[in-house]
Amino acid sequence: MPDLKNKISMTLKDQRQQKLEMMQEYYSNSKSIVQQLSPFVYWAQTEKQITLKVELKDAKCLQIEFTSNAVNFKAKGYGARGLNEYQFYIEFYALINSEESCFRVFDSKIECIIKKSEKSWWPRLVATPQKPHWLKIDFDRWHIEDDTLDEKPRDIHQDYYREYERLQKEEIGYIKESTKTVYMVFYNFAQFIGFLYILCVICILYYRDGPDVISKTYEYVGNAMKFVQLLQFLEVLHPIFGYTKGSPLIPLAQVSGRNFVLFLMIEWEERMQTKPVVFYLFIIWSLVEVIRYPYYLTAIVKKPLAFLTWVRYTIWIPLYPMGILCEGIIILRNIPYFEETKRFSVEMPNQFNFAFDMPTFLKIYLLGFLLPGSYMLVTHMAKTRAMKLGKKRFIRAAKD
């Protein structure tokens, strides 16, 4: 009997302890929910853009992040509940152009100008049919196109993807990723490993053998460099098939220029393979890529790192001009070699009645393609850096 009483008392204690823990957990969750305040947000649209007006006075510690399909807002200021920290997350009905979207800060409000990826009228702002209570229509700016507001059939998995991912994780223990995402992860990881291998081999050999290894760089890592550079032609196809955003022209120009130097200028001319400029060029290419591909990986898995983003869009400032200079030196040094060997040159007479002089082409390539192409590439990177690092993301205004 005493044992039975002890067991009953222990069971009652365990039940009381479980109830107490459940009450504490419920209280903590309720408290966290109460603390997450959202300001009133008024939205309007045109065919090209969305405008969000956030009612928050004297906003400080402002954090606004645009992604391809959402906006994440966090700031401290005077809102509907007085001076507090306010935040909200909106997943949009369709895709937006995150790079061209921006915001303006006024004394009494914050205004977000969000560019749509495609010109169209949205039947609603958010992806899900249910909108949050703090989201209102800005009738002062509202434009409507009645004929195009008929809602198209949508995938429920897309509208409720967060809930769908949570259920997947609960049911099978992990989240199933699309084939596109898996491929992009493997591609970027493989390229990172390839360029890291090249960089490590060069550094280890230089540490072991000193400057004597400079003339043997192509002998040791030339094949690996050719392999990863050929793989980069896939990056021209990625935007064409919708795997990445942007135009295929930028990667086409960059990859084609590199492979032109690697295969035609270095591979086909053995005397160039032992030049020190090849050593420096391979180091520059590898340094750029061992930072670029990890940045892409974090973007694919939606775990961006602020420091990695800053390095990605800063390290190119010294490395790109040095790489362009090395490529130009290689082409310039090859002109006498091609004049001597007549390689790739076609002389008259021939059955096609056609002449081609490779040294002349190299001179035209230097002046007509390499220099203008480098200017376009550097300008593109400068604009992208300004967008990514927030240099031109907002305009501070003192008055409404």
Side-chain angles (χ1 to χ4, degrees):
M1 290 294 291
D3 293 339
L4 181 60
K5 289 182 179 180
N6 290 334
K7 289 182 179 179
I8 293 173
S9 62
M10 291 294 292
T11 303
L12 292 175
K13 287 182 180 179
D14 292 340
Q15 291 179 350
R16 284 197 296 270
Q17 183 66 24
Q18 290 178 357
K19 289 182 179 179
L20 180 62
E21 291 177 355
M22 290 176 63
M23 291 176 65
Q24 289 176 347
E25 182 180 359
Y26 175 79
Y27 174 76
S28 62
N29 290 338
S30 301
K31 187 176 180 181
S32 63
I33 292 173
V34 170
Q35 290 177 344
Q36 293 181 357
L37 302 176
S38 298
F40 286 114
V41 180
Y42 296 86
W43 78 284
Q45 70 168 322
T46 64
E47 191 178 12
K48 297 180 181 179
Q49 69 180 32
I50 295 289
T51 303
L52 299 181
K53 184 179 72 174
V54 184
E55 282 198 346
L56 197 64
K57 295 181 179 180
D58 300 329
K60 298 178 180 179
C61 304
L62 188 62
Q63 299 178 21
I64 300 180
E65 180 184 1
F66 298 104
T67 63
S68 60
N69 65 336
V71 59
N72 194 10
F73 176 94
K74 187 176 182 181
K76 187 175 182 180
Y78 290 91
R81 298 289 185 89
L83 180 61
N84 275 297
E85 185 178 80
Y86 294 86
Q87 55 185 327
F88 65 82
Y89 177 84
I90 296 178
E91 186 175 345
F92 295 116
Y93 176 83
L95 297 178
I96 66 170
N97 189 332
S98 59
E99 295 184 354
E100 294 186 7
S101 300
C102 60
F103 58 91
R104 298 184 296 178
V105 181
F106 298 91
D107 288 345
S108 60
K109 65 180 179 180
I110 300 160
E111 190 176 87
C112 300
I113 297 94
I114 300 162
K115 302 293 183 179
K116 298 178 180 179
S117 290
E118 297 179 357
K119 293 182 181 180
S120 63
W121 294 87
W122 295 359
R124 60 175 186 267
L125 179 66
V126 295
T128 58
Q130 299 82 17
K131 73 176 184 68
H133 67 279
W134 41 264
L135 183 61
K136 313 288 184 181
I137 294 177
D138 189 355
F139 288 101
D140 294 335
R141 298 186 176 183
W142 186 256
H143 299 274
I144 192 167
E145 189 75 14
D146 295 331
D147 297 335
T148 57
L149 288 184
D150 295 332
E151 187 173 345
K152 299 177 181 179
R154 293 173 62 86
D155 185 2
I156 192 172
H157 294 162
Q158 179 182 355
D159 291 344
Y160 295 93
Y161 81 95
R162 291 179 179 274
E163 290 78 6
Y164 186 66
E165 288 181 353
R166 179 177 57 81
L167 290 174
Q168 271 191 331
K169 198 168 185 179
E170 291 177 357
E171 291 292 330
I172 61 179
Y174 62 92
I175 298 173
K176 291 183 178 179
E177 297 289 352
S178 65
T179 306
K180 181 191 300 184
T181 302
V182 174
Y183 161 75
M184 291 301 296
V185 168
F186 273 103
Y187 170 78
N188 286 279
F189 183 73
Q191 289 290 76
F192 167 70
I193 294 298
F195 281 102
L196 183 63
Y197 165 79
I198 294 170
L199 187 62
C200 289
V201 169
I202 293 175
C203 293
I204 291 172
L205 291 176
Y206 187 85
Y207 177 79
R208 188 189 68 182
D209 302 333
D212 295 337
V213 79
I214 291 179
S215 61
K216 300 178 181 179
T217 300
Y218 194 78
E219 178 184 346
Y220 289 129
V221 296
N223 289 331
M225 182 62 76
K226 288 186 288 185
F227 178 74
V228 294
Q229 288 293 351
L230 284 174
L231 275 183
Q232 283 193 332
F233 274 110
L234 292 173
E235 298 180 19
V236 182
L237 301 177
H238 291 165
I240 295 176
F241 292 103
Y243 280 44
T244 58
K245 297 188 298 182
S247 170
L249 296 179
I250 296 295
L252 176 62
Q254 187 173 7
V255 175
S256 299
R258 282 189 180 186
N259 281 276
F260 175 80
V261 172
L262 180 60
F263 285 94
L264 297 184
M265 299 291 102
I266 301 176
E267 174 68 16
W268 281 85
E269 182 51 64
E270 294 183 0
R271 288 173 287 185
M272 183 56 64
Q273 297 174 8
T274 58
K275 301 299 181 184
V277 68
V278 176
F279 170 81
Y280 298 120
L281 181 64
F282 280 16
I283 288 181
I284 292 170
W285 282 354
S286 301
L287 283 174
V288 169
E289 305 303 0
V290 295
I291 294 171
R292 184 167 71 100
Y293 286 112
Y295 166 77
Y296 288 159
L297 281 171
T298 58
I300 292 169
V301 299
K302 299 178 181 179
K303 299 289 183 182
L305 301 175
F307 176 73
L308 186 59
T309 302
W310 181 85
V311 174
R312 159 73 179 107
Y313 290 102
T314 303
I315 198 171
W316 68 268
I317 297 175
L319 292 184
Y320 273 29
M322 289 192 295
I324 294 168
L325 179 63
C326 290
E327 292 177 15
I329 292 174
I330 290 175
I331 295 173
L332 197 62
R333 290 289 300 271
N334 262 305
I335 292 177
Y337 296 150
F338 281 92
E339 287 177 346
E340 175 188 342
T341 60
K342 302 295 182 180
R343 185 177 286 115
F344 303 124
S345 296
V346 180
E347 295 181 343
M348 296 282 284
N350 56 67
Q351 60 179 342
F352 299 105
N353 198 26
F354 169 77
F356 176 76
D357 186 58
M358 188 63 178
T360 303
F361 172 78
L362 293 180
K363 297 173 184 177
I364 296 174
Y365 179 84
L366 275 175
L367 298 176
F369 293 95
L370 184 62
L371 295 180
S374 302
Y375 173 78
M376 291 174 59
L377 179 62
V378 170
T379 303
H380 169 76
M381 289 300 299
K383 290 181 180 179
T384 307
R385 184 179 190 272
M387 292 178 182
K388 293 293 184 181
L389 300 186
K391 295 297 182 182
K392 296 181 180 179
R393 299 288 282 187
F394 71 93
I395 304 171
R396 188 86 195 185
K399 297 180 180 180
D400 292 350

